[in-house]
Amino acid sequence: MITDTRERFRPYTKPEDFERIIERESVSEMWESCVKEFADIAAIQDNETSHTYSELEDDAAKFRTLLLEKTDDEHKRVAILAQNSYDFVKAFIAVTTLGLTAVIMPAHLDKAAVFGCCMKFGISAVVYQGSLEESVSLAKDKLGHIGFIEITETSDVPSPMVKCEAKTPCVMMFTGGTTGKSKCAMLSNGAVMQGTVNGCYGVHDVFNQRYLLVLPLSHVFGLIRNLMTSLYTGSTLFICKNNKDMFRDTAVFKPTIMVMVPALAEMALTLSKQFGKNMLGDDMKTIIAGAAAVPPYLVQEYDKLGIKLLPGYGLTESANLVSGNPESLKYPDSVGYPFPNQELKIVDGELWLKGKNMMDGYIGEDEADVYEDGWFKTGDLVKIDENGLLYITGRIKEIIVLPSGENVSPAELEQRFNALPFIQDSQVFEDIDDGGKHILALEVVPRKTVTAKMNLENEKEFIISELQKVNETLPAFERVNRIEVRDSDFDRTPSMKIARYKKC
């Protein structure tokens, strides 16, 4: 069993900043402190409009009045259905600082899914964006006991924050899928605050930064590491309304730090190489990358641009952040050191967790398969080296059992193939050959910015030849029997992970 402390991260943050990283019990406690300390600093910027911390609190206070009118003492769950916006942030702060539970619904849910969520999760009120009126229409028609608040509504009367305890429920977020049938994890105020503070560890300059938000706030990575850590550190968050405008917004806002999935970091790097300049701007110093495996190539190439790319690992069930890697150049394959106030142990290769950051459970779901003796079983296969660094080697549910009985982890093999600088992404999967035999197959997406400079006579033949060299170093049962070089990217999930092929 492994435990860790915050002191592990002290060398990687400016001393004066590290001392300012103070744990808070609740969102209310954090937000009250932020409003006092950062009152006149811009908290949220949205195109041409900027809102200071005190202005955000004024708007949240008036919105709290509307919430008090629409909720009751028995049902304290308020759904938020909105796209990334200042109003989303205002509503989230208002809900959580009243001691209510924010149920974050992905903005693309249809009316049947919204109705189903309201029924399943005991929703008291729905805060929704006007452009999503159709999505709440069925719930409005069928559920007369629920209050509905259009997100731009306000009141003339402010209402104060409510003091909350660490154990007070804070936010419910969907895991994995994004339909009404998805599992929904309940995170307490204490868990949310631990995740928020964890976002500060391992970053050299952490306070008073300029963040650009491109991840959806309905995803735990966007909500906790992007929004909450930004607010906690007195930083300014620029909300990119459309990811197609990301580079235009970057040129205007000049962010110093971004939270990204690897696919987005790859795209930004590709464009930087194509145009011969850093598309993220000269002020960009840090990228926090997660939600999928981070290729070492990205770490190394961003370092050439003067940007530290720091991989990490987390789950919705752990309030996003379990570990972070401040030593990414030295150990680019690792997701880093475990954050404080949690316990880790490895059982048959699987990571099990306990800690302040962990969820209180799934709402309305059977939990028999995910807990054992109070430990949450992540489903992730890991290893920890002699330095205490964590490495992800695969997912239990993705393990391929061969006819021989051997187990193969696709993610572990993909890491080997992805180590080639001209491979952007890969997928190992079980396939069936012409003779009906079950085999391992590999598909790859080449990194065009690299291959374009190699003056290859036949790009696909070269790539397959190099992949085959890697293949031959593998144990016989792990070798792939078919290799294909794709002309297009893989299909991806809403969180930009590769959509894996279904097993044969």
Side-chain angles (χ1 to χ4, degrees):
M1 186 169 66
I2 297 170
T3 58
D4 221 317
T5 69
R6 71 194 298 267
E7 290 303 309
R8 168 90 77 169
F9 294 92
R10 182 181 288 276
Y12 306 105
T13 302
K14 288 194 303 188
E16 60 270 27
D17 277 4
F18 195 82
E19 296 305 324
R20 294 174 68 187
I21 303 174
I22 300 170
E23 294 184 4
R24 304 289 185 183
E25 288 294 296
S26 68
V27 175
S28 292
E29 181 186 335
M30 180 205 93
W31 184 238
E32 185 176 28
S33 173
C34 288
V35 173
K36 288 178 181 177
E37 186 175 357
F38 311 124
D40 297 326
I41 294 174
I44 306 294
Q45 189 170 332
D46 186 349
N47 293 329
E48 300 301 320
T49 307
S50 180
H51 307 267
T52 66
Y53 279 77
S54 60
E55 289 169 345
L56 175 53
E57 166 53 19
D58 288 344
D59 289 340
K62 293 173 183 176
F63 204 78
R64 284 195 287 265
T65 301
L66 298 180
L67 291 168
L68 289 170
E69 294 171 356
K70 296 288 187 176
T71 56
D72 55 50
D73 292 336
E74 183 179 358
H75 301 97
K76 295 186 175 183
R77 295 175 184 172
V78 177
I80 300 178
L81 180 71
Q83 295 169 332
N84 287 6
S85 61
Y86 171 74
D87 288 312
F88 183 111
V89 177
K90 171 197 70 180
F92 180 76
I93 292 295
V95 170
T96 54
T97 56
L98 264 182
L100 305 177
T101 304
V103 183
I104 309 298
M105 292 187 182
H108 66 263
L109 292 186
D110 62 23
K111 62 183 179 181
V114 171
F115 173 80
C117 288
C118 289
M119 293 289 290
K120 180 175 182 177
F121 301 127
I123 301 299
S124 175
V126 176
V127 174
Y128 69 96
Q129 198 167 15
S131 61
L132 301 176
E133 178 78 37
E134 173 62 20
S135 300
V136 299
S137 59
L138 183 61
K140 271 189 172 183
D141 183 51
K142 300 291 186 181
L143 303 175
H145 64 285
I146 290 181
F148 291 86
I149 307 172
E150 204 282 321
I151 203 165
T152 60
E153 289 182 42
T154 189
S155 169
D156 294 330
V157 180
S159 293
M161 290 182 241
V162 172
K163 184 177 180 180
C164 303
E165 298 180 354
K167 65 181 180 181
T168 303
C170 182
V171 62
M172 290 165 54
M173 302 203 77
F174 292 107
T175 65
T178 50
T179 71
K181 294 183 178 180
S182 301
K183 289 182 178 180
C184 200
M186 173 67 82
L187 299 173
S188 67
N189 270 262
V192 168
M193 288 317 307
Q194 186 64 58
T196 298
V197 170
N198 286 349
C200 300
Y201 293 124
V203 181
H204 185 261
D205 295 294
V206 66
F207 284 88
N208 306 113
Q209 298 300 302
R210 297 191 301 277
Y211 280 82
L212 187 71
L213 174 69
V214 292
L215 299 179
L217 290 172
S218 57
H219 190 281
V220 72
F221 199 24
L223 185 76
I224 302 294
R225 182 58 186 87
N226 217 158
L227 172 63
M228 291 298 290
T229 301
S230 174
L231 294 176
Y232 175 91
T233 56
S235 299
T236 302
L237 181 74
F238 185 99
I239 298 177
C240 179
K241 291 292 190 66
N242 188 327
N243 282 5
K244 292 180 180 179
D245 298 327
M246 184 179 83
F247 298 110
R248 185 197 67 184
D249 291 343
T250 296
V252 173
F253 182 61
K254 303 184 188 307
T256 59
I257 185 170
M258 284 189 71
V259 180
M260 287 184 169
V261 294
L264 196 56
E266 183 83 51
M267 181 186 74
L269 180 63
T270 297
L271 290 174
S272 295
K273 287 180 176 290
Q274 286 178 352
F275 290 101
K277 66 175 185 177
N278 180 3
M279 296 297 289
L280 298 179
D282 294 336
D283 290 355
M284 180 64 62
K285 300 302 179 190
T286 308
I287 293 175
I288 307 297
V294 178
Y297 174 86
L298 290 182
V299 175
Q300 294 153 2
E301 291 301 305
Y302 270 108
D303 182 67
K304 296 175 184 177
L305 297 176
I307 299 172
K308 287 187 176 181
L309 190 147
L310 307 178
Y313 163 71
L315 309 147
T316 303
E317 293 89 344
S318 65
N320 185 214
L321 298 164
V322 171
S323 67
N325 186 358
E327 295 267 21
S328 56
L329 263 182
K330 192 174 180 181
Y331 305 102
D333 293 325
S334 174
V335 293
Y337 299 115
F339 290 123
N341 294 323
Q342 61 180 338
E343 298 174 75
L344 300 82
K345 71 175 179 178
I346 300 173
V347 180
D348 296 328
E350 181 186 16
L351 179 64
W352 290 15
L353 297 171
K354 276 184 180 181
K356 185 179 175 182
N357 57 327
M358 298 307 297
M359 70 171 182
D360 289 337
Y362 295 123
I363 304 303
E365 301 287 345
D366 182 10
E367 299 174 348
D369 293 336
V370 297
Y371 285 104
E372 187 164 324
D373 297 328
W375 290 88
F376 176 74
K377 300 188 285 185
T378 65
D380 288 311
L381 298 170
V382 304
K383 61 183 180 181
I384 295 179
D385 70 13
E386 65 278 5
N387 299 309
L389 287 157
L390 184 67
Y391 297 78
I392 307 298
T393 61
R395 289 280 294 166
I396 288 178
K397 67 180 181 181
E398 293 170 358
I399 290 294
I400 297 171
V401 181
L402 300 174
S404 63
E406 299 279 7
N407 290 348
V408 173
S409 169
E412 197 163 10
L413 295 184
E414 288 156 8
Q415 287 178 6
R416 301 286 295 275
F417 295 118
N418 290 349
L420 296 172
F422 45 82
I423 299 301
Q424 178 174 308
D425 271 314
S426 65
Q427 182 170 184
V428 172
F429 57 98
E430 186 179 14
D431 203 359
I432 299 176
D433 66 14
D434 293 338
K437 180 183 177 182
H438 285 252
I439 62 170
L440 290 179
L442 167 69
E443 290 185 9
V444 301
V445 176
R447 188 173 276 118
K448 292 294 186 180
T449 53
V450 175
T451 58
K453 296 179 180 180
M454 298 175 71
N455 297 316
L456 300 172
E457 197 169 309
N458 189 313
E459 180 180 297
K460 288 192 176 182
E461 281 187 9
F462 170 80
I463 291 173
I464 290 173
S465 173
E466 293 301 302
L467 289 168
Q468 196 61 49
K469 291 177 183 177
V470 175
N471 197 35
E472 290 170 1
T473 68
L474 301 172
F477 73 92
E478 289 187 330
R479 292 176 190 167
V480 298
N481 303 96
R482 180 173 66 80
I483 299 175
E484 180 179 332
V485 179
R486 293 173 59 95
D487 296 318
S488 60
D489 194 10
F490 294 103
D491 291 337
R492 293 185 180 273
T493 68
S495 60
M496 294 298 289
K497 295 178 182 179
I498 292 174
R500 287 200 171 272
Y501 299 139
K502 293 182 180 179
K503 294 181 180 180
C504 296

